[in-house]
Amino acid sequence: MGADARPQRRTVVMHVRCPDRLPEETYRQVLEELAGLSPVVQALPPTAALVDLTGAIRYHGTTAHGLGEVLRVRMISRLGVDVRVGIGPSITVAATASAQVPEPGGVLTVGPEQVTGWLAQLPVEALHGIGPRQAATLRDYGIHSVGLLAAVLPATVQRLLGGRAGRLATDHARGIDPRPVVPRTLPASATVRCTFGRHALDGAAVRAALLDLVVRLGIDLRRRGQAPRALTLTLKFAGGTSWDKTRRLTEPSAHDDDLRTLAYQLMDAASLQRGRLTGLALRGDDLVDADKVAQQISLDDTREDRLLAEQAMDRIRDKFGPTAIGPAAVYRRAS
């Protein structure tokens, strides 16, 4: 048998769904566990991931379903996290399967020979990639199951959903999805935190604490030569509840002025009244190398002066320590 006649290995994809609102640190640990199963892991933040198991099955000497069960045991025993795992011959099938697993966790495997029949009986909105508005449009025209979607002429679906969206919807409904799992790690991040000795109600004190976090985060990022594309603010309240929100910067920046402006916007978005805060956390997300950020020409003399002052303060901190100099509001809070 010639080389061209050798049978091709069938792709096996695993889609993993973690619980909602999973802490980023725990999510990173989940990705590390997945890397122990296969070197081909694609992070889908904030709580999902894809794994190509094609070569891993033979390496581990078990079945794809067996690897899914192994993963669940490891997640529960090592991280205290249960996961929903879908396994299939494509990204669409695996992701659709994981969504069908009831919470808190489990493993659902769809073999290549099962795809058509399994997909056909699902409601159209259950197909991975079909959004609520698309599903509503399809239902308005009587296409209420994935089987019916697969049976409709592609040209008809394209007229309903648009050219590219309609073509993809038809292909996915028929189990056609040649996309590979592309290895991708979670973008780097940096986090600073503070806790309050007593439940904080004073808005000025909370603002000063947030400013302190901004300064600490900026110092850390500039020393690492990195800049975030976004910031996430997390507020922790008495009773164990929390609130978090993420917003993107206009452009990546590790400068205190830019970080402070966005951090204050995030705090204002929380609309705090008399919430009893127990802690704050500020995270720089999607970090990039600072030397790769385009430097914009500024006509703002005040901003240029502040950036020069920031450089001078960083030199003072390098020589005398991180608390040698900083905003007055931070030092009044500390005293």
Side-chain angles (χ1 to χ4, degrees):
M1 180 181 294
D4 293 339
R6 286 182 297 181
Q8 298 294 316
R9 290 186 301 173
R10 286 179 170 175
T11 300
V12 182
V13 178
M14 172 189 287
H15 186 273
V16 181
R17 295 178 189 266
C18 302
D20 293 338
R21 305 184 69 83
L22 189 72
E24 182 188 334
E25 294 83 355
T26 306
Y27 179 56
R28 290 182 181 276
Q29 291 176 308
V30 170
L31 295 178
E32 291 175 2
E33 293 292 340
L34 295 177
L37 296 181
S38 168
V40 187
V41 178
Q42 181 176 342
L44 301 174
T47 57
L50 288 167
V51 186
D52 188 335
L53 297 178
T54 307
I57 295 173
R58 182 175 180 181
Y59 176 83
H60 291 283
T62 184
T63 63
H65 190 88
L67 286 177
E69 295 290 359
V70 167
L71 175 66
R72 277 196 71 207
V73 171
R74 290 180 179 177
M75 293 295 97
I76 295 172
S77 62
R78 298 177 182 178
L79 304 179
V81 173
D82 204 348
V83 291
R84 295 185 290 159
V85 179
I87 299 172
S90 70
I91 291 176
T92 295
V93 174
T96 302
S98 67
Q100 297 302 304
V101 176
E103 294 181 346
V107 181
L108 175 59
T109 301
V110 181
E113 70 287 348
Q114 301 172 308
V115 168
T116 303
W118 182 78
L119 285 176
Q121 47 84 35
L122 295 175
V124 70
E125 60 269 19
L127 183 65
H128 182 72
I130 295 292
R133 300 177 81 176
Q134 292 176 322
T137 298
L138 293 171
R139 283 185 171 275
D140 285 345
Y141 285 89
I143 305 171
H144 53 77
S145 71
V146 177
L148 287 173
L149 177 59
V152 175
L153 290 174
T156 301
V157 181
Q158 287 178 298
R159 284 197 295 272
L160 296 178
L161 302 182
R164 182 174 183 274
R167 183 173 62 256
L168 288 176
T170 302
D171 285 347
H172 293 174
R174 296 174 178 179
I176 302 171
D177 183 3
R179 292 176 297 166
V181 177
V182 180
R184 185 171 65 207
T185 59
L186 189 65
S189 67
T191 305
V192 288
R193 299 179 176 83
C194 76
T195 56
F196 300 109
R198 298 178 180 178
H199 297 165
L201 294 171
D202 185 350
V206 172
R207 205 81 162 182
L210 179 58
L211 179 58
D212 183 36
L213 293 185
V214 166
V215 172
R216 287 165 49 194
L217 180 61
I219 293 171
D220 184 32
L221 290 169
R222 292 192 296 274
R223 285 179 175 171
R224 291 162 55 169
Q226 295 178 309
R229 288 193 173 98
L231 288 183
T232 296
L233 175 65
T234 300
L235 310 179
K236 295 187 179 296
F237 298 94
T241 60
S242 64
W243 176 95
D244 62 71
K245 191 173 184 64
T246 300
R247 282 188 181 175
R248 298 188 72 81
L249 291 142
T250 304
E251 60 185 21
S253 174
H255 297 304
D256 290 351
D257 271 5
D258 301 325
L259 300 178
R260 180 181 64 250
T261 299
L262 187 55
Y264 283 178
Q265 291 175 0
L266 289 167
M267 178 64 79
D268 292 340
S271 301
L272 292 176
Q273 299 297 326
R274 298 291 293 177
R276 295 182 299 160
L277 282 172
T278 60
L280 303 173
L282 186 66
R283 186 177 75 235
D285 293 315
D286 200 0
L287 302 185
V288 297
D289 292 338
D291 58 5
K292 295 181 180 178
V293 177
Q295 298 297 318
Q296 302 293 330
I297 297 176
S298 174
L299 301 178
D300 185 346
D301 292 338
T302 301
R303 176 177 172 80
E304 292 301 313
D305 289 343
R306 286 182 177 275
L307 294 181
L308 289 174
E310 181 181 88
Q311 294 174 13
M313 288 190 290
D314 283 348
R315 289 194 294 270
I316 293 173
R317 293 179 181 118
D318 289 340
K319 186 174 182 179
F320 299 104
T323 60
I325 191 170
V330 172
Y331 285 94
R332 284 197 296 270
R333 169 179 173 263
S335 61

